Amino acid sequence: MEPAKKTVFFTGLNELRAVAALDVIFHHIEVFKHSDHIGSLFNSKYSTYFIENLGENGVYLFFVLSGFLITYLLISEKEKNNTINLKKFYLRRILRIWPLYYLIVLISFTLIPLFAHSFTIFSITPNWYDKIMDPSNYSLKTILLYILFLPNLALKTGKIVVGASQSWSVGVEEQFYILWPLIVSFFRKNLLVWVFGLILFTFIITNVKFPQSLLGHITSIIPFEFMAIGGIGGYYYSKYPEIITKYTKSKFIYLTTALLICFLISTPIFKHYIQSLISGFLFLLLIIISINQSNRSVFTNRSFSFLGNISYGIYMYHPIVMFFIFPISYKLLRLCNNIYLFNIFIYLLIPSLTIFISYLSFEYMEKYFIKIKDTKFKTL
């Protein structure tokens, strides 16, 4: 009998996934209120920068994490087996990503327009209602872009599909999954860090110096520079794990990193793109510290670990939950004319209902495909 393969698992990452997913929910709630001119933190001079960029920062944390983890796993597989099984890699990604992605797309292109056209209550949230009533957002071209896993291109061209537009980042991830194993498979290990550095440099120069060029538009659609940051970290962690573990077990470096991240995501210091890149490197440092079991100060929490485990669902389902909850919340606001009660209602109901639906989705749909992925297509 073939021995069971040992799963590579880093503690501390689920908590980061949970924080990133909750950041996106918080950002989208405030964006929704701001778009419909309901009292929002966007209107505060003390929190505007933080709120405007919170969702983006959460997504960039996901991107750096993906770059780190996928690079480390691919290098580990190549060192163990002298090759990368591309077929198994792609099938693992398909089984984890596609079922939920296409369910969200189906709901967003069918059920959400059906409800919006059938019940007048949805018209009291004008920002999203107007987008649903715009037929150009549901054109054949838009449908094909979503079917072909190009929601980032659809969003770039101004096609906003209520319930599914957040999947632009899933499209970026999927495009990353196509490219990255080919890079790691083709290049020798000692050249990989130079390849990742070249990708990072190319994207930075293009975005800073030539943003209006064709390449500039492409790089803005697929922000692989954040995956490259993670990839550089994954490379060095695979090569020097003992040294990195030794220098990241300090409580001081963990707290300093966390404080710097909090400062940079809330206070504009540099040009926004440059500040996002600096935050990306700090996200990488936070990831490396978080997986260091010798660092006893790292944030670990059973509830956040649970949320991180279902974070893909939290990220994908929350706009659909918002679509249904906000009209009810607006009715409540009109009835009681109390903005505080309104905010308590949405901030209790939207996250809790999203988490509940994500848990059911994970337990009764996603787990089925994860089991196939882990039993039939595991390589480590």
Side-chain angles (χ1 to χ4, degrees):
M1 180 181 295
E2 183 181 346
K5 295 182 174 69
K6 184 178 179 181
T7 301
V8 177
F9 179 77
F10 291 119
T11 58
L13 295 187
N14 271 342
E15 285 82 353
L16 296 181
R17 292 186 182 101
V19 170
L22 294 174
D23 285 350
V24 174
I25 291 182
F26 183 64
H27 168 77
H28 282 160
I29 288 175
E30 292 301 319
V31 168
F32 197 113
K33 292 195 297 177
H34 179 70
S35 299
D36 281 349
H37 307 292
I38 302 293
S40 167
L41 292 175
F42 273 88
N43 303 323
S44 169
K45 65 179 181 179
Y46 301 107
S47 59
T48 299
Y49 184 84
F50 173 74
I51 298 298
E52 279 183 348
N53 301 290
L54 185 61
E56 180 182 83
N57 283 318
V59 171
Y60 289 161
L61 174 54
F62 276 126
F63 285 169
V64 176
L65 179 53
S66 289
F68 172 83
L69 196 54
I70 293 299
T71 300
Y72 178 84
L73 293 174
L74 287 171
I75 290 175
S76 299
E77 179 185 347
K78 189 175 181 180
E79 289 182 338
K80 179 183 177 182
N81 303 327
N82 294 318
T83 187
I84 292 172
N85 191 319
L86 295 175
K87 178 182 177 181
K88 286 188 175 182
F89 177 87
Y90 292 132
L91 286 172
R92 287 199 306 273
R93 293 298 88 205
I94 286 171
L95 288 165
R96 184 64 189 102
I97 303 297
W98 287 23
L100 180 53
Y101 173 85
Y102 282 116
L103 175 62
I104 295 297
V105 169
L106 180 63
I107 292 171
S108 301
F109 276 94
T110 58
L111 291 183
I112 286 181
L114 178 63
F115 273 91
H117 283 86
S118 302
F119 301 98
T120 57
I121 188 174
F122 295 103
S123 65
I124 66 175
T125 54
N127 183 52
W128 277 15
Y129 182 77
D130 291 344
K131 290 179 174 60
I132 296 170
M133 293 298 126
D134 183 353
S136 68
N137 288 326
Y138 298 88
S139 65
L140 178 61
K141 177 183 176 181
T142 307
I143 294 171
L144 288 175
L145 287 174
Y146 274 86
I147 290 175
L148 297 175
F149 253 102
L150 295 168
N152 48 333
L153 180 56
L155 191 62
K156 182 70 174 180
T157 56
K159 304 304 179 185
I160 299 176
V161 180
V162 172
S165 286
Q166 80 285 0
S167 66
W168 72 269
S169 62
V170 181
V172 174
E173 293 267 7
E174 196 70 7
Q175 293 142 29
F176 161 73
Y177 295 144
I178 293 172
L179 177 65
W180 227 246
L182 298 176
I183 292 175
V184 178
S185 180
F186 180 78
F187 290 97
R188 296 196 306 272
K189 182 179 178 180
N190 61 345
L191 292 178
L192 283 175
V193 70
W194 296 100
V195 176
F196 299 152
L198 179 61
I199 292 172
L200 176 60
F201 178 78
T202 301
F203 272 70
I204 292 174
I205 292 299
T206 302
N207 279 290
V208 171
K209 294 293 186 179
F210 311 104
Q212 299 305 317
S213 66
L214 176 60
L215 185 57
H217 288 297
I218 293 173
T219 56
S220 69
I221 296 171
I222 49 169
F224 281 178
E225 59 265 53
F226 295 96
M227 279 80 168
I229 291 171
I232 292 169
Y235 167 83
Y236 280 115
Y237 191 80
S238 72
K239 191 170 184 179
Y240 307 109
E242 296 84 5
I243 296 175
I244 291 175
T245 299
K246 176 183 176 181
Y247 287 101
T248 56
K249 64 182 181 181
S250 161
K251 180 179 181 180
F252 173 77
I253 193 172
Y254 175 64
L255 293 177
T256 301
T257 302
L259 288 173
L260 282 173
I261 289 173
C262 291
F263 178 72
L264 282 178
I265 66 175
S266 59
T267 308
I269 302 295
F270 309 102
K271 291 183 65 174
H272 176 64
Y273 179 68
I274 300 301
Q275 187 147 333
S276 295
L277 289 171
I278 296 171
S279 297
F281 279 102
L282 287 172
F283 290 154
L284 173 61
L285 182 56
L286 181 64
I287 289 164
I288 292 173
I289 297 170
S290 296
I291 63 177
N292 188 343
Q293 297 186 48
S294 302
N295 194 325
R296 301 300 180 186
S297 60
V298 167
F299 173 67
T300 56
N301 178 275
R302 184 176 297 179
S303 297
F304 273 77
S305 181
F306 162 75
L307 294 178
N309 206 36
I310 61 171
S311 59
Y312 180 34
I314 292 173
Y315 182 80
M316 292 296 278
Y317 283 112
H318 79 273
I320 296 174
V321 174
M322 288 170 57
F323 167 75
F324 287 101
I325 296 302
F326 260 108
I328 299 171
S329 304
Y330 280 21
K331 282 281 189 182
L332 176 67
L333 178 61
R334 290 180 180 181
L335 287 172
C336 66
N337 197 28
N338 189 318
I339 191 66
Y340 299 106
L341 184 60
F342 166 78
N343 278 295
I344 291 171
F345 183 77
I346 60 172
Y347 271 107
L348 282 177
L349 201 54
I350 291 175
S352 59
L353 188 56
T354 299
I355 291 167
F356 178 66
I357 293 172
S358 301
Y359 168 74
L360 293 179
S361 172
F362 185 81
E363 285 293 321
Y364 298 106
M365 183 188 72
E366 295 167 60
K367 260 190 176 180
Y368 172 78
F369 297 99
I370 292 172
K371 185 177 180 181
I372 298 173
K373 172 179 77 74
D374 290 342
T375 55
K376 294 188 176 182
F377 304 110
K378 187 177 290 294
T379 56
L380 286 174

